[in-house]
Amino acid sequence: MIAEELRQEAENFSPSEDDSELRDIFSNTLPVTTKWKLMGLPFNNPELIPSAGKAVYRTLHRALIDDTEELNGFRNRGRKLSSKKLVGSVLGDDRIFKTPVIENELSAAISILIDASGSMARGYQEIANAVALAMSKGLQSLQVKNEIGFYSSEMCLYIAKPFNQQYIDEKRFQVCSDLYTPSGEAMKSALMRLNRQSEDKKCLFLVTDGKPSCPGSFIEALELAKILGISIAVLGVGMTRDNIEGLDDKYFTNVECVSNLKTALSKIVKSNIF
């Protein structure tokens, strides 16, 4: 009887105006793939990527990790004695001093979306690819779940490293660019994948050089992010702030080389994006 009532309600369902708007926002996403034929582009300043990855680690550590301190460790040196441990000292256990143990509570997932449209072929793609690799390395060191995706109208949304993969294959980051810039459509697909993660803090970084092919879809993606409670930050490569509409100024910064990734991330962190 309950099943029949639910069936009738479903058949008679008429979406409200809000439901229709939400359905439109979720529409026009990019198909996801794990393969792309145009690969092998050299990284910009590859020798700087390891140090940039370490800079990502240091910059995001305080923003993503909350430290909690508990007096539940014991060492053979210290200032506070444990009366309970003194008994064991006659048996050779010299760990009789209470020591604070720092436990890191980390619950974050980050998606990094890289523009691979035709305009990125002006030397920007090599920079963006290096930025993506450095960020992924830094996040892996932090043990922050991360996913790296590249997009264009031809490749759709190519996932170079999914959330559940620990190993970073640098060759999969050497993406060549092509055709148009479906930023909004790619963001919607990435946001839905990010939303399925169980972590508390979620953020999507968009690395791009210019205006989306469909500005309206980009605005819809920003609205979807608000609905899902996911933060959005844009790292511009060879572009001006005017090329991105609808985004708060404090969540935009430029990255002209992988070496200034630390400065760019510091600005984003100061905006309390996490």
Side-chain angles (χ1 to χ4, degrees):
M1 183 177 65
I2 294 174
E4 178 62 20
E5 289 182 3
L6 290 174
R7 184 188 67 78
Q8 291 179 3
E9 287 185 10
E11 290 178 351
N12 298 326
F13 173 74
S14 178
S16 65
E17 184 177 346
D18 291 339
D19 292 328
S20 298
E21 290 180 359
L22 190 60
R23 179 184 59 196
D24 292 339
I25 291 174
F26 276 82
S27 65
N28 300 322
T29 58
L30 279 187
V32 177
T33 181
T34 57
K35 296 181 180 179
W36 175 236
K37 57 187 177 181
L38 300 179
M39 304 290 288
L41 188 69
F43 293 111
N44 173 262
N45 295 319
E47 72 281 359
L48 299 178
I49 292 177
S51 59
K54 293 178 181 178
V56 171
Y57 174 93
R58 293 191 297 268
T59 304
L60 297 183
H61 187 276
R62 289 185 178 179
L64 293 175
I65 296 181
D66 298 322
D67 294 333
T68 58
E69 186 174 295
E70 296 182 3
L71 290 172
N72 58 357
F74 300 96
R75 300 289 186 271
N76 58 6
R77 293 183 182 182
R79 295 182 178 181
K80 295 184 178 180
L81 282 170
S82 171
S83 57
K84 294 181 179 179
K85 297 291 288 185
L86 283 173
V87 178
S89 63
V90 297
L91 300 177
D93 186 358
D94 60 353
R95 295 176 300 167
I96 59 177
F97 294 93
K98 291 181 179 181
T99 304
V101 175
I102 303 298
E103 295 183 351
N104 292 328
E105 295 182 355
L106 176 61
S107 181
I110 292 179
S111 177
I112 303 169
L113 204 54
I114 311 299
D115 180 358
S117 61
S119 59
M120 294 287 287
R122 297 173 292 177
Y124 302 147
Q125 194 68 60
E126 294 94 325
I127 298 173
N129 293 356
V131 166
L133 181 58
M135 289 191 68
S136 188
K137 284 180 176 291
L139 292 170
Q140 286 291 90
S141 297
L142 274 174
Q143 298 183 351
V144 172
K145 291 179 67 175
N146 63 95
E147 181 169 89
I148 313 300
F150 296 78
Y151 70 93
S152 73
S153 55
E154 179 68 20
M155 75 169 67
C156 296
L157 177 56
Y158 157 65
I159 303 299
K161 193 200 81 67
F163 284 111
N164 60 359
Q165 178 178 308
Q166 298 297 320
Y167 173 67
I168 298 176
D169 185 352
E170 296 188 6
K171 294 181 180 179
R172 292 180 60 82
F173 288 68
Q174 296 180 304
V175 173
C176 299
S177 54
D178 83 304
L179 299 181
Y180 305 114
T181 317
S183 297
E185 295 83 349
M187 289 169 65
K188 292 177 188 179
S189 295
L191 285 168
M192 296 307 299
R193 294 173 63 85
L194 181 55
N195 185 57
R196 289 197 289 268
Q197 305 307 308
S198 60
E199 283 68 23
D200 298 327
K201 298 177 181 178
K202 298 176 185 177
C203 181
L204 186 148
F205 284 89
L206 175 66
V207 185
T208 181
D209 74 321
K211 293 182 178 179
S213 299
C214 181
S217 186
F218 180 80
I219 297 298
E220 290 177 353
L222 295 179
E223 293 175 357
L224 176 58
K226 290 181 180 179
I227 293 172
L228 300 178
I230 298 175
S231 302
I232 301 287
V234 174
L235 304 180
V237 180
M239 66 175 287
T240 63
R241 174 66 183 86
D242 297 337
N243 285 355
I244 293 290
E245 298 180 1
L247 186 78
D248 195 312
D249 287 344
K250 63 183 180 181
Y251 298 137
F252 173 86
T253 188
N254 285 102
V255 179
E256 302 305 332
C257 177
V258 69
S259 62
N260 60 27
L261 181 56
K262 180 181 184 299
T263 302
L265 288 180
S266 295
K267 177 183 176 181
I268 297 299
V269 168
K270 289 178 181 179
S271 70
N272 296 319
I273 194 167
F274 299 110

